[in-house]
mmCIF file of all heavy atoms in Angstrom:
data_model
loop_
_atom_site.group_PDB
_atom_site.id
_atom_site.type_symbol
_atom_site.label_atom_id
_atom_site.label_comp_id
_atom_site.label_asym_id
_atom_site.label_seq_id
_atom_site.Cartn_x
_atom_site.Cartn_y
_atom_site.Cartn_z
ATOM 1 N N ALA A 1 20.701 3.001 32.357
ATOM 2 C CA ALA A 1 21.434 2.495 31.146
ATOM 3 C C ALA A 1 21.060 3.346 29.870
ATOM 4 O O ALA A 1 21.814 3.333 28.985
ATOM 5 C CB ALA A 1 21.075 1.056 30.933
ATOM 6 N N ALA A 2 19.980 4.078 29.958
ATOM 7 C CA ALA A 2 19.534 4.913 28.783
ATOM 8 C C ALA A 2 19.831 6.370 28.936
ATOM 9 O O ALA A 2 19.360 7.210 28.218
ATOM 10 C CB ALA A 2 18.016 4.727 28.615
ATOM 11 N N HIS A 3 20.679 6.716 29.881
ATOM 12 C CA HIS A 3 20.993 8.128 30.171
ATOM 13 C C HIS A 3 22.084 8.730 29.235
ATOM 14 O O HIS A 3 22.615 9.774 29.536
ATOM 15 C CB HIS A 3 21.377 8.285 31.602
ATOM 16 C CG HIS A 3 20.253 8.215 32.544
ATOM 17 N ND1 HIS A 3 20.360 8.213 33.938
ATOM 18 C CD2 HIS A 3 18.919 8.008 32.313
ATOM 19 C CE1 HIS A 3 19.167 8.091 34.471
ATOM 20 N NE2 HIS A 3 18.243 7.915 33.537
ATOM 21 N N ASP A 4 22.355 8.027 28.161
ATOM 22 C CA ASP A 4 23.318 8.532 27.188
ATOM 23 C C ASP A 4 22.620 9.045 25.940
ATOM 24 O O ASP A 4 22.104 8.163 25.155
ATOM 25 C CB ASP A 4 24.322 7.422 26.850
ATOM 26 C CG ASP A 4 25.445 7.880 25.839
ATOM 27 O OD1 ASP A 4 25.330 9.054 25.397
ATOM 28 O OD2 ASP A 4 26.319 7.047 25.538
ATOM 29 N N PRO A 5 22.524 10.326 25.675
ATOM 30 C CA PRO A 5 21.795 10.832 24.511
ATOM 31 C C PRO A 5 22.435 10.438 23.203
ATOM 32 O O PRO A 5 21.798 10.619 22.148
ATOM 33 C CB PRO A 5 21.855 12.390 24.745
ATOM 34 C CG PRO A 5 22.130 12.555 26.178
ATOM 35 C CD PRO A 5 23.023 11.413 26.570
ATOM 36 N N HIS A 6 23.706 9.941 23.216
ATOM 37 C CA HIS A 6 24.283 9.483 21.999
ATOM 38 C C HIS A 6 23.685 8.125 21.587
ATOM 39 O O HIS A 6 23.598 7.842 20.368
ATOM 40 C CB HIS A 6 25.797 9.269 22.135
ATOM 41 C CG HIS A 6 26.510 10.590 22.437
ATOM 42 N ND1 HIS A 6 26.622 11.589 21.556
ATOM 43 C CD2 HIS A 6 27.185 10.999 23.585
ATOM 44 C CE1 HIS A 6 27.329 12.607 22.106
ATOM 45 N NE2 HIS A 6 27.636 12.264 23.307
ATOM 46 N N ARG A 7 23.198 7.337 22.568
ATOM 47 C CA ARG A 7 22.706 5.958 22.250
ATOM 48 C C ARG A 7 21.159 5.959 22.265
ATOM 49 O O ARG A 7 20.600 5.074 21.583
ATOM 50 C CB ARG A 7 23.309 5.009 23.237
ATOM 51 C CG ARG A 7 24.804 4.872 23.204
ATOM 52 C CD ARG A 7 25.340 3.914 24.234
ATOM 53 N NE ARG A 7 24.732 2.620 24.119
ATOM 54 C CZ ARG A 7 24.029 2.029 25.080
ATOM 55 N NH1 ARG A 7 23.830 2.614 26.243
ATOM 56 N NH2 ARG A 7 23.521 0.788 24.901
ATOM 57 N N TYR A 8 20.534 6.757 23.030
ATOM 58 C CA TYR A 8 19.101 6.741 23.171
ATOM 59 C C TYR A 8 18.515 8.147 22.779
ATOM 60 O O TYR A 8 19.223 9.134 22.986
ATOM 61 C CB TYR A 8 18.652 6.491 24.631
ATOM 62 C CG TYR A 8 18.831 5.035 24.985
ATOM 63 C CD1 TYR A 8 20.063 4.533 25.312
ATOM 64 C CD2 TYR A 8 17.708 4.165 25.026
ATOM 65 C CE1 TYR A 8 20.240 3.153 25.618
ATOM 66 C CE2 TYR A 8 17.875 2.833 25.316
ATOM 67 C CZ TYR A 8 19.101 2.312 25.648
ATOM 68 O OH TYR A 8 19.226 1.009 25.970
ATOM 69 N N PRO A 9 17.320 8.185 22.223
ATOM 70 C CA PRO A 9 16.738 9.516 21.860
ATOM 71 C C PRO A 9 16.336 10.281 23.076
ATOM 72 O O PRO A 9 15.506 9.834 23.867
ATOM 73 C CB PRO A 9 15.545 9.043 21.005
ATOM 74 C CG PRO A 9 15.158 7.735 21.536
ATOM 75 C CD PRO A 9 16.434 7.062 21.918
ATOM 76 N N TRP A 10 16.827 11.534 23.169
ATOM 77 C CA TRP A 10 16.473 12.501 24.194
ATOM 78 C C TRP A 10 16.074 13.804 23.539
ATOM 79 O O TRP A 10 16.549 14.910 23.938
ATOM 80 C CB TRP A 10 17.586 12.705 25.185
ATOM 81 C CG TRP A 10 17.861 11.638 26.177
ATOM 82 C CD1 TRP A 10 18.476 10.468 25.997
ATOM 83 C CD2 TRP A 10 17.468 11.711 27.595
ATOM 84 N NE1 TRP A 10 18.545 9.770 27.169
ATOM 85 C CE2 TRP A 10 17.927 10.502 28.166
ATOM 86 C CE3 TRP A 10 16.806 12.651 28.404
ATOM 87 C CZ2 TRP A 10 17.736 10.195 29.521
ATOM 88 C CZ3 TRP A 10 16.626 12.352 29.755
ATOM 89 C CH2 TRP A 10 17.053 11.157 30.305
ATOM 90 N N PRO A 11 15.254 13.807 22.494
ATOM 91 C CA PRO A 11 14.895 15.084 21.819
ATOM 92 C C PRO A 11 14.016 15.956 22.636
ATOM 93 O O PRO A 11 13.030 15.492 23.213
ATOM 94 C CB PRO A 11 14.254 14.632 20.555
ATOM 95 C CG PRO A 11 13.632 13.326 20.927
ATOM 96 C CD PRO A 11 14.538 12.709 21.892
ATOM 97 N N TYR A 12 14.390 17.220 22.751
ATOM 98 C CA TYR A 12 13.414 18.166 23.321
ATOM 99 C C TYR A 12 12.891 19.050 22.154
ATOM 100 O O TYR A 12 13.273 18.928 21.001
ATOM 101 C CB TYR A 12 14.085 19.066 24.361
ATOM 102 C CG TYR A 12 15.405 19.700 24.046
ATOM 103 C CD1 TYR A 12 15.502 20.833 23.272
ATOM 104 C CD2 TYR A 12 16.609 19.090 24.485
ATOM 105 C CE1 TYR A 12 16.684 21.415 22.988
ATOM 106 C CE2 TYR A 12 17.832 19.675 24.211
ATOM 107 C CZ TYR A 12 17.881 20.830 23.411
ATOM 108 O OH TYR A 12 19.112 21.389 23.116
ATOM 109 N N GLN A 13 11.891 19.896 22.496
ATOM 110 C CA GLN A 13 11.147 20.605 21.465
ATOM 111 C C GLN A 13 10.604 19.620 20.426
ATOM 112 O O GLN A 13 10.469 19.946 19.222
ATOM 113 C CB GLN A 13 11.984 21.713 20.733
ATOM 114 C CG GLN A 13 12.435 22.846 21.672
ATOM 115 C CD GLN A 13 13.045 24.006 20.935
ATOM 116 O OE1 GLN A 13 13.559 23.820 19.864
ATOM 117 N NE2 GLN A 13 13.002 25.151 21.542
ATOM 118 N N LEU A 14 10.122 18.524 20.895
ATOM 119 C CA LEU A 14 9.659 17.473 19.970
ATOM 120 C C LEU A 14 8.392 17.921 19.275
ATOM 121 O O LEU A 14 7.416 18.370 19.883
ATOM 122 C CB LEU A 14 9.314 16.208 20.803
ATOM 123 C CG LEU A 14 8.796 14.994 19.963
ATOM 124 C CD1 LEU A 14 9.890 14.479 19.056
ATOM 125 C CD2 LEU A 14 8.329 13.907 20.932
ATOM 126 N N ALA A 15 8.368 17.797 17.957
ATOM 127 C CA ALA A 15 7.224 18.205 17.126
ATOM 128 C C ALA A 15 6.541 17.074 16.410
ATOM 129 O O ALA A 15 5.366 17.100 16.136
ATOM 130 C CB ALA A 15 7.674 19.235 16.074
ATOM 131 N N SER A 16 7.342 16.004 16.088
ATOM 132 C CA SER A 16 6.696 14.926 15.343
ATOM 133 C C SER A 16 7.497 13.617 15.582
ATOM 134 O O SER A 16 8.663 13.670 15.940
ATOM 135 C CB SER A 16 6.611 15.166 13.851
ATOM 136 O OG SER A 16 7.899 15.214 13.282
ATOM 137 N N ILE A 17 6.835 12.463 15.379
ATOM 138 C CA ILE A 17 7.420 11.162 15.433
ATOM 139 C C ILE A 17 7.007 10.472 14.164
ATOM 140 O O ILE A 17 5.815 10.394 13.810
ATOM 141 C CB ILE A 17 6.965 10.363 16.654
ATOM 142 C CG1 ILE A 17 7.259 11.157 17.929
ATOM 143 C CG2 ILE A 17 7.641 9.043 16.715
ATOM 144 C CD1 ILE A 17 6.637 10.490 19.166
ATOM 145 N N GLU A 18 7.960 9.864 13.436
ATOM 146 C CA GLU A 18 7.686 9.201 12.184
ATOM 147 C C GLU A 18 8.211 7.738 12.224
ATOM 148 O O GLU A 18 9.296 7.466 12.718
ATOM 149 C CB GLU A 18 8.342 9.903 11.006
ATOM 150 C CG GLU A 18 8.104 9.234 9.658
ATOM 151 C CD GLU A 18 8.670 9.994 8.490
ATOM 152 O OE1 GLU A 18 9.372 11.028 8.759
ATOM 153 O OE2 GLU A 18 8.449 9.562 7.357
ATOM 154 N N ILE A 19 7.413 6.776 11.771
ATOM 155 C CA ILE A 19 7.850 5.438 11.576
ATOM 156 C C ILE A 19 8.227 5.262 10.073
ATOM 157 O O ILE A 19 7.409 5.626 9.204
ATOM 158 C CB ILE A 19 6.745 4.401 11.904
ATOM 159 C CG1 ILE A 19 6.542 4.415 13.414
ATOM 160 C CG2 ILE A 19 7.187 3.015 11.465
ATOM 161 C CD1 ILE A 19 5.436 3.349 13.831
ATOM 162 N N ALA A 20 9.466 4.848 9.873
ATOM 163 C CA ALA A 20 9.894 4.700 8.449
ATOM 164 C C ALA A 20 11.136 3.814 8.464
ATOM 165 O O ALA A 20 11.819 3.655 9.509
ATOM 166 C CB ALA A 20 10.250 6.059 7.804
ATOM 167 N N SER A 21 11.458 3.280 7.386
ATOM 168 C CA SER A 21 12.732 2.549 7.177
ATOM 169 C C SER A 21 13.878 3.576 7.028
ATOM 170 O O SER A 21 13.772 4.492 6.216
ATOM 171 C CB SER A 21 12.655 1.609 5.970
ATOM 172 O OG SER A 21 13.972 1.302 5.510
ATOM 173 N N TYR A 22 14.965 3.354 7.825
ATOM 174 C CA TYR A 22 16.045 4.234 7.600
ATOM 175 C C TYR A 22 16.611 4.249 6.228
ATOM 176 O O TYR A 22 16.918 5.280 5.633
ATOM 177 C CB TYR A 22 17.198 3.846 8.582
ATOM 178 C CG TYR A 22 18.369 4.816 8.656
ATOM 179 C CD1 TYR A 22 18.448 5.735 9.676
ATOM 180 C CD2 TYR A 22 19.319 4.777 7.638
ATOM 181 C CE1 TYR A 22 19.475 6.664 9.700
ATOM 182 C CE2 TYR A 22 20.413 5.665 7.702
ATOM 183 C CZ TYR A 22 20.488 6.602 8.723
ATOM 184 O OH TYR A 22 21.544 7.541 8.725
ATOM 185 N N ALA A 23 16.665 3.041 5.622
ATOM 186 C CA ALA A 23 17.200 2.939 4.233
ATOM 187 C C ALA A 23 16.270 3.659 3.253
ATOM 188 O O ALA A 23 16.760 4.216 2.246
ATOM 189 C CB ALA A 23 17.329 1.453 3.857
ATOM 190 N N THR A 24 14.975 3.685 3.522
ATOM 191 C CA THR A 24 14.062 4.401 2.612
ATOM 192 C C THR A 24 14.076 5.905 2.946
ATOM 193 O O THR A 24 14.006 6.700 1.958
ATOM 194 C CB THR A 24 12.631 3.887 2.852
ATOM 195 O OG1 THR A 24 12.608 2.472 2.551
ATOM 196 C CG2 THR A 24 11.639 4.578 1.921
ATOM 197 N N ARG A 25 14.178 6.255 4.173
ATOM 198 C CA ARG A 25 14.180 7.693 4.556
ATOM 199 C C ARG A 25 15.428 8.418 4.165
ATOM 200 O O ARG A 25 15.347 9.481 3.658
ATOM 201 C CB ARG A 25 13.941 7.805 6.044
ATOM 202 C CG ARG A 25 13.632 9.206 6.564
ATOM 203 C CD ARG A 25 12.243 9.595 6.267
ATOM 204 N NE ARG A 25 11.927 10.934 6.800
ATOM 205 C CZ ARG A 25 12.314 12.046 6.220
ATOM 206 N NH1 ARG A 25 13.053 12.039 5.133
ATOM 207 N NH2 ARG A 25 11.955 13.200 6.822
ATOM 208 N N TYR A 26 16.560 7.744 4.317
ATOM 209 C CA TYR A 26 17.879 8.282 3.978
ATOM 210 C C TYR A 26 18.658 7.380 3.048
ATOM 211 O O TYR A 26 19.676 6.794 3.385
ATOM 212 C CB TYR A 26 18.716 8.540 5.251
ATOM 213 C CG TYR A 26 18.085 9.527 6.232
ATOM 214 C CD1 TYR A 26 18.267 9.353 7.604
ATOM 215 C CD2 TYR A 26 17.389 10.643 5.822
ATOM 216 C CE1 TYR A 26 17.725 10.266 8.485
ATOM 217 C CE2 TYR A 26 16.852 11.544 6.717
ATOM 218 C CZ TYR A 26 17.061 11.336 8.062
ATOM 219 O OH TYR A 26 16.524 12.208 8.984
ATOM 220 N N PRO A 27 18.161 7.165 1.818
ATOM 221 C CA PRO A 27 18.749 6.141 0.946
ATOM 222 C C PRO A 27 20.165 6.489 0.440
ATOM 223 O O PRO A 27 20.854 5.602 -0.059
ATOM 224 C CB PRO A 27 17.758 6.097 -0.261
ATOM 225 C CG PRO A 27 17.101 7.462 -0.265
ATOM 226 C CD PRO A 27 16.982 7.817 1.172
ATOM 227 N N HIS A 28 20.571 7.805 0.496
ATOM 228 C CA HIS A 28 21.834 8.108 -0.098
ATOM 229 C C HIS A 28 22.950 8.485 0.971
ATOM 230 O O HIS A 28 23.875 9.225 0.719
ATOM 231 C CB HIS A 28 21.677 9.333 -1.019
ATOM 232 C CG HIS A 28 20.671 9.124 -2.131
ATOM 233 N ND1 HIS A 28 19.409 9.552 -2.137
ATOM 234 C CD2 HIS A 28 20.864 8.438 -3.297
ATOM 235 C CE1 HIS A 28 18.799 9.193 -3.244
ATOM 236 N NE2 HIS A 28 19.595 8.505 -3.952
ATOM 237 N N THR A 29 22.709 7.892 2.172
ATOM 238 C CA THR A 29 23.703 8.134 3.219
ATOM 239 C C THR A 29 24.603 6.969 3.498
ATOM 240 O O THR A 29 25.567 7.046 4.247
ATOM 241 C CB THR A 29 23.018 8.497 4.531
ATOM 242 O OG1 THR A 29 22.190 7.381 5.021
ATOM 243 C CG2 THR A 29 22.127 9.745 4.364
ATOM 244 N N ALA A 30 24.336 5.843 2.891
ATOM 245 C CA ALA A 30 25.168 4.577 3.149
ATOM 246 C C ALA A 30 26.257 4.462 2.137
ATOM 247 O O ALA A 30 26.072 4.786 0.983
ATOM 248 C CB ALA A 30 24.271 3.357 3.160
ATOM 249 N N PRO A 31 27.403 3.917 2.562
ATOM 250 C CA PRO A 31 28.574 3.714 1.587
ATOM 251 C C PRO A 31 28.329 2.432 0.812
ATOM 252 O O PRO A 31 29.103 1.492 0.877
ATOM 253 C CB PRO A 31 29.732 3.621 2.546
ATOM 254 C CG PRO A 31 29.197 3.058 3.817
ATOM 255 C CD PRO A 31 27.816 3.569 3.912
ATOM 256 N N ALA A 32 27.318 2.446 -0.077
ATOM 257 C CA ALA A 32 26.969 1.257 -0.829
ATOM 258 C C ALA A 32 28.071 0.778 -1.693
ATOM 259 O O ALA A 32 28.839 1.555 -2.231
ATOM 260 C CB ALA A 32 25.705 1.619 -1.678
ATOM 261 N N GLY A 33 28.141 -0.553 -1.866
ATOM 262 C CA GLY A 33 29.102 -1.151 -2.736
ATOM 263 C C GLY A 33 30.425 -1.559 -2.036
ATOM 264 O O GLY A 33 31.203 -2.273 -2.654
ATOM 265 N N LEU A 34 30.591 -1.141 -0.781
ATOM 266 C CA LEU A 34 31.799 -1.518 -0.070
ATOM 267 C C LEU A 34 31.577 -2.871 0.624
ATOM 268 O O LEU A 34 30.474 -3.140 1.042
ATOM 269 C CB LEU A 34 32.200 -0.448 0.940
ATOM 270 C CG LEU A 34 32.653 0.877 0.363
ATOM 271 C CD1 LEU A 34 33.028 1.881 1.480
ATOM 272 C CD2 LEU A 34 33.844 0.706 -0.528
ATOM 273 N N PRO A 35 32.702 -3.600 0.910
ATOM 274 C CA PRO A 35 32.568 -4.847 1.679
ATOM 275 C C PRO A 35 31.994 -4.565 3.072
ATOM 276 O O PRO A 35 32.225 -3.499 3.595
ATOM 277 C CB PRO A 35 33.986 -5.349 1.711
ATOM 278 C CG PRO A 35 34.700 -4.710 0.586
ATOM 279 C CD PRO A 35 34.038 -3.389 0.406
ATOM 280 N N SER A 36 31.291 -5.518 3.674
ATOM 281 C CA SER A 36 30.632 -5.220 4.974
ATOM 282 C C SER A 36 31.645 -5.005 6.084
ATOM 283 O O SER A 36 31.296 -4.396 7.085
ATOM 284 C CB SER A 36 29.782 -6.430 5.303
ATOM 285 O OG SER A 36 30.558 -7.625 5.407
ATOM 286 N N ASP A 37 32.870 -5.415 5.875
ATOM 287 C CA ASP A 37 33.942 -5.180 6.906
ATOM 288 C C ASP A 37 34.750 -3.960 6.635
ATOM 289 O O ASP A 37 35.769 -3.713 7.365
ATOM 290 C CB ASP A 37 34.823 -6.401 7.060
ATOM 291 C CG ASP A 37 35.562 -6.740 5.798
ATOM 292 O OD1 ASP A 37 35.208 -6.175 4.726
ATOM 293 O OD2 ASP A 37 36.459 -7.613 5.878
ATOM 294 N N ALA A 38 34.386 -3.118 5.672
ATOM 295 C CA ALA A 38 35.140 -1.901 5.352
ATOM 296 C C ALA A 38 34.989 -0.923 6.499
ATOM 297 O O ALA A 38 33.911 -0.787 7.103
ATOM 298 C CB ALA A 38 34.654 -1.262 4.071
ATOM 299 N N PRO A 39 36.004 -0.179 6.844
ATOM 300 C CA PRO A 39 35.954 0.815 7.893
ATOM 301 C C PRO A 39 34.856 1.834 7.744
ATOM 302 O O PRO A 39 34.316 2.338 8.707
ATOM 303 C CB PRO A 39 37.365 1.476 7.891
ATOM 304 C CG PRO A 39 38.263 0.471 7.312
ATOM 305 C CD PRO A 39 37.438 -0.275 6.289
ATOM 306 N N ALA A 40 34.526 2.133 6.484
ATOM 307 C CA ALA A 40 33.462 3.158 6.209
ATOM 308 C C ALA A 40 32.152 2.720 6.796
ATOM 309 O O ALA A 40 31.347 3.554 7.159
ATOM 310 C CB ALA A 40 33.347 3.369 4.713
ATOM 311 N N TRP A 41 31.856 1.399 6.808
ATOM 312 C CA TRP A 41 30.572 0.946 7.373
ATOM 313 C C TRP A 41 30.544 1.171 8.873
ATOM 314 O O TRP A 41 29.502 1.506 9.466
ATOM 315 C CB TRP A 41 30.343 -0.514 7.051
ATOM 316 C CG TRP A 41 29.838 -0.749 5.678
ATOM 317 C CD1 TRP A 41 30.515 -1.296 4.599
ATOM 318 C CD2 TRP A 41 28.550 -0.421 5.218
ATOM 319 N NE1 TRP A 41 29.714 -1.341 3.471
ATOM 320 C CE2 TRP A 41 28.459 -0.829 3.813
ATOM 321 C CE3 TRP A 41 27.420 0.171 5.767
ATOM 322 C CZ2 TRP A 41 27.363 -0.612 3.029
ATOM 323 C CZ3 TRP A 41 26.246 0.311 4.979
ATOM 324 C CH2 TRP A 41 26.265 -0.059 3.642
ATOM 325 N N ALA A 42 31.700 0.968 9.543
ATOM 326 C CA ALA A 42 31.740 1.262 10.977
ATOM 327 C C ALA A 42 31.558 2.756 11.212
ATOM 328 O O ALA A 42 30.883 3.221 12.163
ATOM 329 C CB ALA A 42 33.040 0.809 11.587
ATOM 330 N N GLY A 43 32.120 3.564 10.313
ATOM 331 C CA GLY A 43 31.958 5.022 10.428
ATOM 332 C C GLY A 43 30.524 5.402 10.164
ATOM 333 O O GLY A 43 29.974 6.341 10.795
ATOM 334 N N PHE A 44 29.851 4.746 9.224
ATOM 335 C CA PHE A 44 28.455 4.988 8.945
ATOM 336 C C PHE A 44 27.591 4.715 10.173
ATOM 337 O O PHE A 44 26.680 5.511 10.481
ATOM 338 C CB PHE A 44 28.014 4.129 7.737
ATOM 339 C CG PHE A 44 26.490 4.138 7.539
ATOM 340 C CD1 PHE A 44 25.867 5.324 7.160
ATOM 341 C CD2 PHE A 44 25.809 2.953 7.649
ATOM 342 C CE1 PHE A 44 24.415 5.264 6.949
ATOM 343 C CE2 PHE A 44 24.422 2.934 7.483
ATOM 344 C CZ PHE A 44 23.739 4.097 7.091
ATOM 345 N N ALA A 45 27.853 3.649 10.854
ATOM 346 C CA ALA A 45 27.097 3.329 12.069
ATOM 347 C C ALA A 45 27.277 4.398 13.144
ATOM 348 O O ALA A 45 26.261 4.797 13.819
ATOM 349 C CB ALA A 45 27.539 1.981 12.632
ATOM 350 N N ILE A 46 28.460 4.950 13.262
ATOM 351 C CA ILE A 46 28.683 6.060 14.225
ATOM 352 C C ILE A 46 27.989 7.286 13.778
ATOM 353 O O ILE A 46 27.306 7.955 14.520
ATOM 354 C CB ILE A 46 30.178 6.289 14.395
ATOM 355 C CG1 ILE A 46 30.847 5.045 15.030
ATOM 356 C CG2 ILE A 46 30.423 7.506 15.279
ATOM 357 C CD1 ILE A 46 32.385 5.091 14.975
ATOM 358 N N PHE A 47 28.079 7.598 12.457
ATOM 359 C CA PHE A 47 27.433 8.798 11.983
ATOM 360 C C PHE A 47 25.971 8.696 12.131
ATOM 361 O O PHE A 47 25.280 9.654 12.553
ATOM 362 C CB PHE A 47 27.797 9.020 10.466
ATOM 363 C CG PHE A 47 27.258 10.265 9.892
ATOM 364 C CD1 PHE A 47 27.945 11.431 10.011
ATOM 365 C CD2 PHE A 47 26.020 10.307 9.276
ATOM 366 C CE1 PHE A 47 27.493 12.621 9.483
ATOM 367 C CE2 PHE A 47 25.538 11.513 8.769
ATOM 368 C CZ PHE A 47 26.280 12.702 8.834
ATOM 369 N N ARG A 48 25.372 7.551 11.866
ATOM 370 C CA ARG A 48 23.961 7.330 12.039
ATOM 371 C C ARG A 48 23.488 7.551 13.457
ATOM 372 O O ARG A 48 22.415 8.102 13.706
ATOM 373 C CB ARG A 48 23.591 5.945 11.536
ATOM 374 C CG ARG A 48 22.164 5.507 11.749
ATOM 375 C CD ARG A 48 21.893 4.198 11.153
ATOM 376 N NE ARG A 48 20.611 3.650 11.554
ATOM 377 C CZ ARG A 48 19.953 2.633 10.968
ATOM 378 N NH1 ARG A 48 20.542 1.977 9.937
ATOM 379 N NH2 ARG A 48 18.789 2.202 11.394
#
């Protein structure tokens, strides 16, 4: 079930692992201010 690199992490040449909040790490990547059902939020989930 985890053999899809789009859904699960399969990084090679791994150098580091970091624990952080996505919102803190990438605060300017979300389409803030739009309604939760806006298509841009679905696109953001795919982009993420």
Side-chain angles (χ1 to χ4, degrees):
H3 288 176
D4 182 356
H6 297 292
R7 298 177 58 239
Y8 285 78
W10 284 78
Y12 48 82
Q13 294 190 337
L14 181 67
S16 68
I17 304 174
E18 179 178 4
I19 292 181
S21 160
Y22 187 97
T24 300
R25 190 74 178 78
Y26 298 146
H28 301 101
T29 63
L34 292 180
S36 60
D37 60 350
W41 280 110
F44 169 65
I46 295 169
F47 185 87
R48 172 175 171 166

